[in-house]
Amino acid sequence: MHNKIILLSANRSASHFSRLILSAIRSSFAATVLLFSASFAQDMQVTVLDAWSIERIAQAKVIVGDSLFITDKNGQSGFYISTRDSFFVVEAEGYFSAQISIADNNKISIYLQPVESSAPIIVVPPLSGRMPIFLPANISVVPLYDLDRAKAISIEQVLGAKSGITNKSYGADGQIQAIALRGMAAEQTQVLYDGIPLNSLQLGAVDFSGQNINQVGAVELYRGSSPLFGGTGAIAGTINLKPPKYADQFEVGITQQIGSLQNYNTTLNAQIPVQKIRQYLNLNFNDSKNSYATFSEGQKTELQNRDFTSRSVLWQVDYPITEKTKVDFLIRNFKQKGGASRPFSGANAESGNKARKSTDNTLARIRLDRRLQSGNLEFQLYRRNEWNSYRDQALDINSLHFNKEGGAFTRARYVLFSTLLLNGGLEAAWQNIESSDAGVHSRTRWAAYLLADWLFATLESPDLDLHLNVSGRFENVSGRKIFIPGVGISASGKSFSLYASAGKNHRLPGFNDLYWPALGNPNLKPERSINIEAGLSLKNEIAGYRMHFKAGLYRTWVSDQIKWLNNGVDWRPENIAGVESKGIEVSGALWPQSKKYNLALNYTLTDVTKSKAEFAGDKTVGNSLPYIPAHSFSATATYFWADFEFGANLDAQSFRYVSLANDLNTFLPGQTVISSWAGYSAPVLQDYNLAAWLTVGNLTDVKYQMIAGYPMPPRTYKLTLSINY
């Protein structure tokens, strides 16, 4: 079953533990009865960890009704819980106790908050004590499990089922896969790998076809411009890809996928602990011909030059220097070569579609983490290299690009008073490009930021904690100074929360915008934005069903947006465009206590329009930006039976304009695409786990495009076999 991370709220009752211990001693016989009633109870396994350091807590007390269980040296405890019980309690010396509702899955990780951390005001992340800081916003944390990867899904498919997301796909696997938040451009969405920037130094956007899902443990999705970390580009929001988590025992696995379009994918992964050193290694090999056809003017044409070959590796090492200090190292490399197809424009033109591209990207990072009595301190150094080539013999193009960035971060959290938490940091980075087209250029950036989280009121009726957040970020980019303020307020209770926030952000011009030969504009200013939003979250249980509902409203104004304009002779970028984005994001989930099935729904209303004239008599003011559907809806249903899982996803989007002219004669029609899967996963031969999955994409074989000239694949099948030891 899936691991599930539980976000805890503090329980300040000091006498609760003593009462339950006395009750447990008097009722030891009841615990024995519980253990022998496995057929009428749920087998639970919990891991208890420190919410700040993520260290496992030994000798923690797990109290189930009248029974008491103690975690071992690895912070783990196993027990049976009766179907009559709706919760259990976890306590440990020096930590706030927590009451846990019975989880949907039988393996959960529980993060206790240290008493020194002033638990009422700390927003403890559900996946990592290192989650970056933020103002109140519509935030999603999407854990990725081994079974999710076995379903042959990709990161862009996972995120595409969430509200506020627009996929801009150029075709099948291995082709460009861009993601945009809240209807903005892909280069206005900041993408990080564990806090390290990934956006292309020349183009600004991230191609998610190079982000292997097998090397991601979770995705943190921050909608809106409130994130304060990682540097430029967060006008629309931030996507932070988290590495897989370490294990304390040796594990090894192999996964083989065989799919339509002659797609083959092999993944090897291993958890290798050596005494105190923990290691994780992942290797992935992917090859595909991507051979499929499209229809144009009644004629069937086989698409050319969409094949690819990719290889990727991730190695990370974690070592505890002392009880409160640890160091970790990470290196990640991705290589891909294949076709760089041009837009389909007919059978005759397709025969000359022969451009090729190659990519070789490397990321390395070393980080030191120190837990303090009232906070924690983190320092890290990173370096990333981007190597790309593009060759098109028909157009006599042979371009090479080698870009690199190095930087250092210092981040800290500190409880100044019992009701005031400070998050802050310093950043410095150096960027350099060596391009056969854009030339050799570099720039430096340093920044300082601070966010204060003040618990200014605690109400008993209703049970609410009221927080005020104030933030500021100062950046200096090669002598250009930028200040980014923000403010937010939130109210959180046991079953609901409300928030509202406002903030500014910016995006630096890409090196191509600045220095493309004869066309670049070195006088470009950063794009600037103002964002406001408000939202609510509700959790409840009615008639045996658990429900979770979230809704948010937002509005963003962008000025000095960079756009390439035609001056009658050629194209040149200028700070001329103004954009206004507003919308509604709604998501809901429903599942019964029997846990036999679950249903997730997401809806997004997006209205992104041009708000500023570019010249006298500009008739496109008020028009919608291209390739942004006004309505997006997704529904995912999953049914569990024994060791089997069956599921389906429906993704529906309204039509898309293909140009700012909003010409109704040249638009992409809306589409509804259904995918489905069936799988089996169970332990075999004591220490092995076997999984087998069949995934069907585009079940109804819809003919559609998300970007004009790039037909999406027809119905496809993928068979996945996985064995883990």
Side-chain angles (χ1 to χ4, degrees), residues 50-63:
D50 184 301
W52 283 79
S53 67
I54 316 301
E55 297 294 335
R56 302 189 177 216
I57 303 174
Q59 299 300 306
K61 286 85 174 175
V62 181
I63 305 163

Side-chain angles (χ1 to χ4, degrees), residues 459-530:
L459 307 180
E460 293 185 359
S461 181
D463 185 10
L464 284 177
D465 288 342
L466 304 180
H467 294 253
L468 176 66
N469 300 95
V470 179
S471 68
R473 179 183 177 92
F474 177 81
E475 284 200 7
N476 186 310
V477 182
S478 296
R480 176 170 285 170
K481 300 178 175 124
I482 302 168
F483 178 66
I484 308 172
V487 64
I489 189 169
S490 62
S492 58
K494 290 183 178 180
S495 60
F496 75 96
S497 62
L498 303 168
Y499 75 88
S501 64
K504 290 185 175 183
N505 219 304
H506 76 290
R507 184 183 79 88
L508 295 176
F511 279 96
N512 280 4
D513 297 325
L514 295 168
Y515 304 116
W516 198 254
L519 302 176
N521 183 355
N523 297 317
L524 287 173
K525 298 178 292 185
E527 298 176 346
R528 297 175 181 269
S529 70
I530 299 175

Side-chain angles (χ1 to χ4, degrees), residues 152-185:
I153 58 178
S154 61
I155 293 175
E156 59 270 16
Q157 289 173 316
V158 170
L159 296 182
K162 301 298 178 182
S163 62
I165 297 288
T166 302
N167 279 349
K168 298 182 178 181
S169 175
Y170 286 72
D173 293 350
Q175 306 306 298
I176 295 174
Q177 310 292 334
I179 293 179
L181 295 177
R182 292 186 167 175
M184 307 300 288

